[in-house]
Amino acid sequence: MDDGSLSVASPEPGGHVARPVRTTCPYCGVGCGVLATPDSSGGATIKGDPAHPANAGRLCSKGSALGDTLALDTRLLEPVVDGARTTWNTALDHVAQRLEAIRAAHGPGSIAFYLSGQLLTEDYYVANKLAKGFLGTPHVDTNSRLCMASSVAGHKRAFGADAVPQCYDDLELADLVVLVGSNAAWCHPILYQRIQVARGERGMRVVNIDPRQTATSEGCDLNLAIRPGTDQVLYNGLLVWLADRGHLDHEFVSRHTSGFDAVLASAREAAPSVRQVAAATGLDVSDVELFFSWFGSTRRVVSCYSQGVNQSAQGTDKVNAIINCHLATGMIGKPGSGPLSFTGQPNAMGGREVGGLANMLAAHMGFSDSERDRVRRFWNAPALVASEGLKAVDMFEAIQRGEIKALWVMGTNPAVSLPRADRVRDALRKLDLLVVSENVMATDTLDLAHVRLPAHAWGEKDGTVTNSERRISRQRPFLEAAGSARADWWIMGEVARRLGFGTAFSFTSPAEIFDEHARLSGFENTAASPADRRAFDISGLTGIGGGGYDALEPVQWPVRTGSAPAERLFADGGFFTPDTRARFIATSPARLASPVSEQWPFVLNTGRIRDQWHTMTRTGLSPRLSTHIQEPFVEIHPEDASRLGLEQGTLARIETAHGAATVRVLLSRGQKPGNIFAPFHWSAQNSSSGRVSSLVHGAIDPVSGQPEAKATPARLAPVAVTHYGFLLSRTPLRPEGMAYWAECRALFGATPGFTLHLALDTDAARMSDWQRATLPDGDWITLEDAGAGTFRTAVFRDSQLEAVLFLSASPKLPATDWLRTQFDSPCDLAGRRTILAGKPVTGGADEGPIVCVCYQVGSRRIEAATLGGCATTKEIGTKLGAGTNCGSCLPEIKRLIASTMAASRAAAE
Ligand SMILES: Nc1nc2c(c(=O)[nH]1)N[C@H]1C(S)=C(S)[C@@H](COP(=O)(O)OP(=O)(O)OC[C@H]3O[C@@H](n4cnc5c(=O)[nH]c(N)nc54)[C@H](O)[C@@H]3O)O[C@H]1N2
Ligand SMILES: Nc1nc2c(c(=O)[nH]1)N[C@H]1C(S)=C(S)[C@@H](COP(=O)(O)OP(=O)(O)OC[C@H]3O[C@@H](n4cnc5c(=O)[nH]c(N)nc54)[C@H](O)[C@@H]3O)O[C@H]1N2
Ligand code: SF4
Ligand SMILES: [Mo]
């Protein structure tokens, strides 16, 4: 059997493909096209694909750094069963036998699959078919439950199908873009940049609705720092305003929708006046009025929403409250106007298309008798499941209770990313069989697995993904598979074959799987009316064969046989409901799942940072990306901090009813008092106690089952330590006895190294013992002021710097940026002293914290250039290069210019 490994442009002499392979970025749902040109040593040069409609050649910081993630040193290269490396045959036999035994003893419902929006559509399709069609377990869910489920449910309620009406070009055609619960500057950077260009060129307005100030706020005309969880009040108020001020599209409402009057009446009850909206949302009346009047007076409005909407206990209602306003004004499916859900993962959309969610079957079919019958016949699968399976949070509860005994995890890291992550980790320990298909050799989830299966990683993967605008793009392989890694679909197909389902899983290539998927999408799907048709239809792509599949250009669905692909949907109605009308949906009253209390006075909001992807298994490998933010942190308003005795750079222990984490304190006036924010990227692999999802409660949206990751009641307190410090070293060092640590890769000039940020709680007398146990051999030079708590040691070998340890009683340590550059060149005796000073004698070369990771430009250099006369991001770019590659840092450069100018004006006065 074909192992699905490689079929690309023919290799040149020397064994590598010299021309660029067109593929797709494996990170966010923007789905940027990438040109990857492999080198002869297993790496590749990465560039944006100018021909891809999503990005037209641009890549953000994460995409640009993909080349840093291709090395094999952290890859899982062989199958491992019960801790021992083994062959594929043994591992696959083992998985099949154990699944069979568990199924025989406890029934098919004791087996579950937990999948990921990072799998390719073809992998996803096979997983779903195997579980729901042949093993007979309905318990197939995915990390998209944590991500897109509320949008899916909202779309289905309003449109009758999970179909996004808009396309990316609308972001440039709009006159008003509203970002709701989206930090697009960091999370969908290329779309954010497209918006910013249009804003600059056409004067388009941008409104940002987010409880905290983010990098996204920098490029917005109006920032609404909404009280968490009250978005639907704002949107109910907007609906009332639109109705009262004559902004409705009566014709659209009467011809293409139903339920308007009742929903308007309920919106009036929920949000009778602007004043009441302002009171409920914590916004100024004038800001609310400005937003409403902009929305009402603009004919081209695009509303983009992301996790601030989806990840809440009323996420589905929030989605529908937004869609209601678009339906009421007829601003849907038109150039420059409509609702546009930003998807998270590269294939969040593809997973939905194949039915990866527990409450869907396949190709947009559900569990009605007729749909089940249709899928059963198509798959020839008599054992097809009868009803919906458990959604993610409930699935892990069933594991905890011992009802689910076998779990196969693919492409996700639930021990880090699910709410109540400590409880999830405990649940995983209870399983009789935990199979994990992974790219890397260690994650918090993989560490608990009985069976570890090495899967193709990006660069090896071969298949398709669908982005936020319904555009299907190819991920094409450009590297040989690492070790004995195999395609996820191949692994499952081999298990299926061993279970006796060979006929249904005889695929020998992803093209064959895609073909079956495309055929199913068109199967009995030819009705003229959308009332009797399914939205997802790519039957026009059936029969394209291996060659057509390899050459497939990015294309938006639907692609029906005989008609052109649709850029936009629903401009003239045609919704996928029984009467082809869209539904207005009334929302329940706004509330957080658990209110704050005296015991838990803060609302803990969690999310992402610019240069890390989720649990850092890949972005964490890039020293460049690690320069931006190096440690887990909590953002807190300075007044809250001072009340609690927390200072900038000290450590705080955040606690909730579910767990605790110790992270660095960052004071931020962009955070409202009473609210705190922490990113969820860190795990037990790279931090002592930075697993932020262990804090998050398990409250879910009752409609979508999506957890409310943005609002857990919490408290926090200072962590007392005697020393703060960092350790820079060429190889990773994890000394014993630290009160806190967080490790990241770092660039030591041109060479890679490691940074360990740490804190100790120990008396000074024991310090030299600790240092001796910690630091590598070599020539040590030391600076010590025990009274002040200062210890600085540099270790040299052959006049090359080997390691640097700085400890201080104060959290105010020198930045590591300059020190890291000192590992590159030999160091004379005078130089050694300077190293212990932690900064250059002349001051000239000190970058300060890195802002632009592409060109490694630090804040000090940007400040100096600003003082030297650069007043715009463009001028900074011309002078320093900063911001001119991926552009991800432009919001921060803008902020730095503003703050430097303000400081210089203040100094002049
Ligand atoms: N750099 C980077 N980019 C990524 C990812 C990554 O890990 N790193 N992951 C990708 C994935 S899978 C996803 S799902 C997306 C997520 O992309 P986003 O949704 O943009 O990112 P988040 O940081 O999760 O949350 C967005 C914002 O919601 C706000 N918010 C919290 N509560 C509320 C509320 O009640 N109302 C409103 N209006 N806003 C609220 C938060 O303050 C936060 O700034 O990013 C994708 N892109
Ligand atoms: N507190 C909090 N928690 C959250 C969120 C939040 O905002 N706050 N956001 C949620 C959201 S929106 C998301 S999407 C999730 C993401 O959370 P996860 O999906 O758990 O995070 P990743 O680190 O992307 O995990 C993907 C894993 O799959 C591996 N992998 C990558 N590609 C492949 C492949 O092709 N095959 C296989 N077999 N393995 C592969 C990677 O090495 C990695 O270990 O986190 C959720 N959790
Ligand atoms: S915006 Fe960045 S992370 Fe998202 S697909 Fe494009 S390059 Fe990748
Ligand atoms: Mo996501």
Side-chain angles (χ1 to χ4, degrees):
M1 186 179 259
D2 185 329
D3 69 1
S5 57
L6 264 192
S7 66
V8 244
S10 48
E12 312 245 307
H16 69 279
V17 183
R19 60 189 164 89
V21 173
R22 289 178 69 201
T23 183
T24 310
C25 175
Y27 298 126
C28 84
V30 178
C32 295
V34 170
L35 294 178
T37 313
D39 57 29
S40 49
S41 53
T45 311
I46 302 297
K47 286 202 161 54
D49 181 355
H52 197 288
N55 56 319
R58 306 207 70 168
L59 293 175
C60 77
S61 50
K62 294 182 300 297
S64 301
L66 274 166
D68 294 353
T69 67
L70 303 174
L72 303 187
D73 52 338
T74 58
R75 281 291 295 278
L76 179 66
L77 297 170
E78 314 294 337
V80 177
V81 175
D82 294 330
R85 280 201 264 161
T86 182
T87 62
W88 271 112
N89 240 334
T90 312
L92 294 164
D93 286 348
H94 180 85
V95 172
Q97 282 158 11
R98 295 290 294 129
L99 286 177
E100 191 56 68
I102 289 168
R103 190 166 70 138
H106 306 285
S110 63
I111 300 174
F113 284 65
Y114 188 55
L115 310 173
S116 163
Q118 291 166 73
L119 296 172
L120 302 172
T121 300
E122 292 74 6
D123 301 323
Y124 237 134
Y125 179 88
V126 171
N128 203 47
K129 183 178 180 185
L130 172 60
K132 291 181 187 160
F134 290 84
L135 271 169
T137 174
H139 305 312
V140 180
D141 212 38
T142 138
N143 61 4
S144 284
R145 182 68 57 196
L146 318 179
C147 182
M148 301 315 303
S150 297
S151 278
V152 174
H155 292 157
K156 288 217 289 214
R157 288 205 302 195
F159 310 145
D162 176 24
V164 174
Q166 305 307 128
C167 62
Y168 293 162
D169 288 351
D170 293 327
L171 297 171
E172 282 136 358
L173 297 170
D175 293 317
L176 172 67
V177 169
V178 187
L179 297 164
V180 201
S182 156
N183 185 8
W186 280 9
C187 296
H188 297 92
I190 296 301
L191 295 183
Y192 183 76
Q193 287 175 28
R194 286 179 66 168
I195 293 168
Q196 289 304 317
V197 170
R199 182 169 171 253
E201 287 174 354
R202 300 190 26 252
M204 163 220 282
R205 285 180 178 136
V206 187
V207 175
N208 177 36
I209 305 173
D210 192 311
R212 66 191 183 112
Q213 230 172 51
T214 63
T216 300
S217 318
E218 298 296 320
C220 293
D221 302 283
L222 177 63
N223 284 294
L224 299 176
I226 195 167
R227 181 170 295 144
T230 62
D231 301 72
Q232 64 273 50
V233 183
L234 184 68
Y235 275 88
N236 278 322
L238 175 59
L239 190 67
V240 172
W241 171 284
L242 295 169
D244 292 352
R245 307 278 165 136
H247 296 304
L248 300 180
D249 183 337
H250 292 287
E251 194 183 327
F252 189 90
V253 171
S254 69
R255 288 187 56 193
H256 299 306
T257 71
S258 70
F260 176 72
D261 292 338
V263 168
L264 179 62
S266 107
R268 268 191 210 290
E269 245 171 71
S273 69
V274 170
R275 194 163 295 284
Q276 272 149 304
V277 170
T281 54
L283 299 170
D284 289 341
V285 169
S286 57
D287 283 348
V288 173
E289 278 178 342
L290 190 59
F291 168 51
F292 286 2
S293 65
W294 282 359
F295 195 109
S297 62
T298 311
R299 290 309 301 156
R300 288 176 171 232
V301 181
V302 176
S303 301
C304 310
Y305 43 98
S306 192
Q307 300 315 337
V309 167
N310 295 343
Q311 284 173 347
S312 45
Q314 290 158 318
T316 312
D317 278 356
K318 286 186 180 183
V319 169
N320 285 114
I322 296 168
I323 292 175
N324 285 344
C325 294
H326 279 273
L327 291 173
T329 50
M331 289 197 283
I332 185 161
K334 304 202 171 92
S337 64
L340 173 55
S341 145
F342 281 172
T343 54
Q345 299 171 90
N347 204 25
M349 195 73 101
R352 288 141 71 172
E353 292 154 14
V354 300
L357 292 160
N359 50 328
M360 292 157 72
L361 203 41
H364 275 201
M365 280 175 277
F367 287 87
S368 70
D369 288 346
S370 62
E371 288 176 313
R372 282 181 45 242
D373 178 58
R374 188 181 294 134
V375 178
R376 181 190 296 122
R377 282 184 285 116
F378 183 85
W379 277 348
N380 192 14
L384 188 88
V385 293
S387 54
E388 296 183 7
L390 294 173
K391 301 184 174 107
V393 171
D394 292 339
M395 180 190 281
F396 282 82
E397 286 301 311
I399 296 171
Q400 177 77 32
R401 289 193 303 271
E403 291 162 20
I404 288 175
K405 310 216 175 269
L407 177 70
W408 192 342
V409 175
M410 269 169 248
T412 178
N413 191 359
V416 184
S417 58
L418 268 174
R420 296 208 279 178
D422 288 347
R423 188 175 165 84
V424 166
R425 213 161 51 168
D426 289 343
L428 291 172
R429 290 195 180 100
K430 295 197 169 156
L431 285 160
D432 292 347
L433 176 67
L434 174 59
V435 181
V436 179
S437 302
E438 244 304 336
N439 294 155
V440 299
M441 62 176 131
T443 73
D444 292 6
T445 303
L446 195 68
D447 290 354
L448 305 172
H450 303 109
V451 180
R452 306 169 190 197
L453 303 175
H456 281 175
W458 187 74
E460 301 154 14
K461 285 164 72 166
D462 188 2
T464 56
V465 290
T466 310
N467 73 5
S468 300
E469 59 166 359
R470 289 175 277 108
R471 192 178 295 281
I472 299 169
S473 294
R474 289 278 280 113
Q475 269 195 25
R476 296 186 177 88
F478 56 89
L479 296 173
E480 295 285 348
S484 43
R486 293 287 188 275
D488 282 299
W489 64 262
W490 179 90
I491 301 171
M492 287 179 278
E494 284 298 302
V495 170
R497 199 164 62 78
R498 284 165 171 77
L499 289 167
F501 313 132
T503 323
F505 294 88
S506 60
F507 308 112
T508 61
S509 71
E512 288 174 19
I513 304 169
F514 184 81
D515 192 65
E516 183 176 307
H517 166 55
R519 276 193 294 118
L520 177 56
S521 77
F523 184 59
E524 299 177 357
N525 196 21
T526 51
S529 166
D532 305 310
R533 216 174 62 217
R534 308 188 299 275
F536 180 70
D537 185 346
I538 54 166
S539 54
L541 299 175
T542 49
I544 58 175
Y549 183 73
D550 276 346
L552 186 68
E553 288 294 319
V555 58
Q556 278 180 287
W557 66 258
V559 198
R560 302 187 72 202
T561 315
S563 51
E567 276 185 295
R568 301 183 181 84
L569 303 171
F570 311 137
D572 301 312
F575 294 93
F576 293 88
T577 50
D579 57 6
T580 74
R581 287 165 178 273
R583 302 272 180 268
F584 280 93
I585 305 287
T587 65
S588 45
R591 62 174 183 86
L592 294 179
S594 344
V596 294
S597 61
E598 214 171 293
Q599 189 186 9
W600 311 109
F602 287 92
V603 178
L604 168 68
N605 175 6
T606 64
R608 298 160 165 78
I609 61 171
R610 190 187 82 191
D611 289 349
Q612 293 299 343
W613 176 262
H614 297 166
T615 71
M616 299 169 73
T617 61
R618 289 172 289 162
T619 45
L621 301 177
S622 167
R624 261 197 292 173
L625 292 179
S626 298
T627 48
H628 184 233
I629 293 175
Q630 305 181 4
E631 288 177 88
F633 63 86
V634 59
E635 264 179 4
I636 181 169
H637 190 279
E639 283 162 20
D640 283 337
S642 85
R643 224 166 7 87
L644 295 169
L646 292 167
E647 286 169 35
Q648 173 80 4
T650 57
L651 295 167
R653 181 179 154 87
I654 318 174
E655 238 182 294
T656 69
H658 315 282
T662 298
V663 299
R664 196 67 75 172
V665 174
L666 274 189
L667 303 187
S668 162
R669 292 196 175 272
Q671 203 61 243
K672 277 206 178 163
N675 294 278
I676 53 175
F677 173 83
F680 78 103
H681 301 293
W682 278 268
S683 68
Q685 309 298 317
N686 54 15
S687 70
S688 52
S689 178
R691 301 174 73 250
V692 162
S693 293
S694 69
L695 300 162
V696 173
H697 60 193
I700 54 170
D701 175 292
V703 184
S704 68
Q706 178 156 353
E708 184 179 65
K710 299 282 187 258
T712 308
R715 65 178 172 222
L716 66 180
V719 173
V721 295
T722 54
H723 298 83
Y724 299 88
F726 58 77
L727 171 58
L728 309 178
S729 60
R730 289 192 192 274
T731 51
L733 299 172
R734 291 258 180 94
E736 295 288 307
M738 295 180 285
Y740 161 89
W741 61 268
E743 182 189 87
C744 64
R745 298 206 172 196
L747 265 190
F748 286 1
T751 52
F754 293 83
T755 301
L756 187 74
H757 293 280
L758 61 100
L760 301 175
D761 195 22
T762 181
D763 53 65
R766 298 229 295 278
M767 195 59 81
S768 49
D769 289 345
W770 185 83
Q771 284 199 58
R772 235 190 316 280
T774 298
L775 291 170
D777 292 339
D779 306 333
W780 289 27
I781 58 163
T782 297
L783 182 104
E784 199 176 306
D785 179 350
T790 302
F791 295 85
R792 295 181 177 184
T793 303
V795 183
F796 295 87
R797 222 175 275 163
D798 303 331
S799 79
Q800 288 277 356
L801 197 50
E802 201 54 37
V804 178
L805 173 72
F806 272 44
L807 293 168
S808 163
S810 151
K812 289 195 192 104
L813 289 147
T816 58
D817 305 85
W818 175 79
L819 277 171
R820 286 192 286 103
T821 63
Q822 301 307 298
F823 281 76
D824 238 6
S825 41
C827 201
D828 60 21
L829 277 179
R832 294 184 178 198
R833 286 279 142 211
T834 321
I835 285 178
L836 290 187
K839 55 179 194 268
V841 186
T842 55
D846 191 5
E847 283 287 344
I850 297 296
V851 175
C852 168
V853 297
C854 296
Y855 293 113
Q856 294 287 305
V857 180
S859 61
R860 300 237 167 86
R861 214 151 33 112
I862 294 166
E863 283 157 10
T866 306
L867 295 174
C870 296
T872 62
T873 49
K874 207 166 179 176
E875 286 164 13
I876 292 282
T878 310
K879 191 166 165 72
L880 304 176
T884 58
N885 182 42
C886 76
S888 295
C889 59
L890 287 171
E892 281 152 286
I893 296 178
K894 203 165 159 197
R895 194 164 47 207
L896 265 177
I897 296 173
S899 63
T900 310
M901 285 182 159
S904 118
R905 269 196 305 273
E909 272 160 18

